[in-house]
Amino acid sequence: MSGIDEVLARIGSQLKLDGETEHEILAEIRSHLEEAVAQARAEGLDEAEALSRAAARFGAEEQVGKDLQATHAGWGTADAVLAAALPVVCALVLRWLAFAPDGTAVGWQQVLSRPAFWGVALAGLLLPVVKFRRWRYAVAGWAVLWALTVLFAVSPALRW
Amino acid sequence: MAIHEQMRKGTTTVIVLNLLAEAGRPMYGYEIIQALEARSQGTFRFREGLIYPRLHEMEQEGLLRSEWQGEEGERRRKFYAITAEGLKRLDVELADWHTLAAAVNRLLGGEGQA
């Protein structure tokens, strides 16, 4: 394990976040340390001295890890839930557009001709992708709900 | 002389926002630290790692937005840019700061006395 890896391991030991967030945090700090080491090397220090200086200037790794944990705790989860919730809300609107409140079907071709249908469909997909860091949750939720919508349209007997 | 840690924490937001606003371009963490140290001629010296929690907080508050840049095989960096919300906050914080600085200077009998 290189010196930079050891620093990252000490920071990572304080993180209990989702994998994507931890990966991004550690990638950013790795980039910082690599640049600090490269600058020190350019100033004539050997590898060990350069790493030592970079680590010293970076500061207490455990404290940085704790601060990052405190900053991100709950945020990633909230972001993912919000991202996933938006397509669900849109799906409920779609259901209202696609099916009458009493469950009787509106013709599928009629639905496709409604601008509002496409507006909601695009908003439900694009907003989470653009606005949320956990956009993959939105895409996954969107895909599942679209599959259900198509399934119910093709097989009305499955509707509840 | 490096300024007291507690004072540094309270001023990080306005200093980073001001730097990014004046730069007029996104900057990455290491670059921000180097620029702040150079501008303050060493007075504003970070324990460098501590800027990242603050940058991430500011991003969550909507004051900054970030974007990874760098091609495959080269060093990738996370760049931060000030947002419209950040510019508004900067205006407020700068006004507060100038008011506070003038008041403290008056209390201490230094510059800023009317």
Side-chain angles (χ1 to χ4, degrees):
Chain A
M1 182 181 279
S2 74
I4 288 179
D5 287 335
E6 289 173 8
V7 173
L8 294 175
R10 285 195 286 275
I11 295 169
S13 69
Q14 303 299 323
L15 302 177
K16 296 174 182 63
L17 305 168
D18 64 275
E20 186 179 349
T21 302
E22 286 194 15
H23 176 78
E24 187 169 317
I25 288 172
L26 295 177
E28 183 177 26
I29 294 173
R30 176 183 292 280
S31 174
H32 174 109
L33 291 170
E34 286 177 350
E35 184 145 357
V37 168
Q39 183 174 328
R41 292 281 286 156
E43 293 172 14
L45 277 63
D46 66 29
E47 188 69 30
E49 290 171 333
L51 180 61
S52 177
R53 189 178 84 171
R57 289 188 175 180
F58 190 81
E61 297 95 344
E62 284 81 3
Q63 186 59 50
V64 173
K66 285 177 184 173
D67 287 355
L68 286 165
Q69 171 67 26
T71 298
H72 287 274
W75 180 259
T77 303
D79 192 63
V81 169
L82 283 172
L86 194 52
V88 172
V89 171
C90 289
L92 293 174
V93 176
L94 281 172
R95 189 179 189 285
W96 175 74
L97 287 170
F99 307 112
D102 63 359
T104 56
V106 171
W108 189 243
Q109 289 181 333
Q110 281 180 275
V111 172
L112 294 179
S113 67
R114 295 181 183 182
F117 175 89
W118 292 105
V120 174
L122 286 174
L125 181 61
L126 291 178
L127 278 179
V129 168
V130 171
K131 297 298 290 182
F132 293 97
R133 298 172 73 85
R134 301 288 172 272
W135 55 271
R136 290 180 183 84
Y137 288 84
V139 174
W142 180 250
V144 169
L145 290 165
W146 255 104
L148 288 174
T149 302
V150 172
L151 186 66
F152 291 154
V154 173
S155 304
L158 293 175
R159 282 184 212 142
W160 57 81
Chain B
M1 182 183 70
I3 60 174
H4 191 277
E5 182 78 1
Q6 200 61 39
M7 186 180 288
R8 181 195 59 74
K9 283 184 179 176
T11 55
T12 301
T13 300
V14 66
I15 288 172
V16 170
L17 289 176
N18 190 61
L19 175 69
L20 290 170
E22 287 190 2
R25 63 177 177 81
M27 299 173 76
Y28 56 96
Y30 188 79
E31 185 182 22
I32 290 171
I33 291 164
Q34 298 295 307
L36 293 179
E37 286 195 11
R39 279 183 171 214
S40 71
Q41 297 178 324
T43 302
F44 205 89
R45 182 167 294 158
F46 275 98
R47 281 193 291 166
E48 297 174 355
L50 293 177
I51 198 172
Y52 290 102
R54 190 68 203 112
L55 287 173
H56 293 191
E57 284 174 11
M58 292 167 72
E59 186 178 10
Q60 289 177 3
E61 292 169 21
L63 306 177
L64 305 178
R65 64 173 179 276
S66 69
E67 182 184 13
W68 282 92
Q69 293 182 20
E71 298 300 320
E72 196 72 29
E74 62 183 41
R75 182 177 296 129
R76 298 192 73 231
R77 296 173 173 130
K78 190 176 181 183
F79 282 77
Y80 295 88
I82 191 168
T83 63
E85 187 66 28
L87 288 169
K88 285 183 198 167
R89 173 73 74 85
L90 176 60
D91 285 343
V92 171
E93 297 242 0
L94 278 178
D96 288 349
W97 179 254
H98 290 312
T99 301
L100 176 66
V104 171
N105 278 331
R106 280 195 295 273
L107 287 170
L108 297 177
E111 293 175 15
Q113 281 185 305

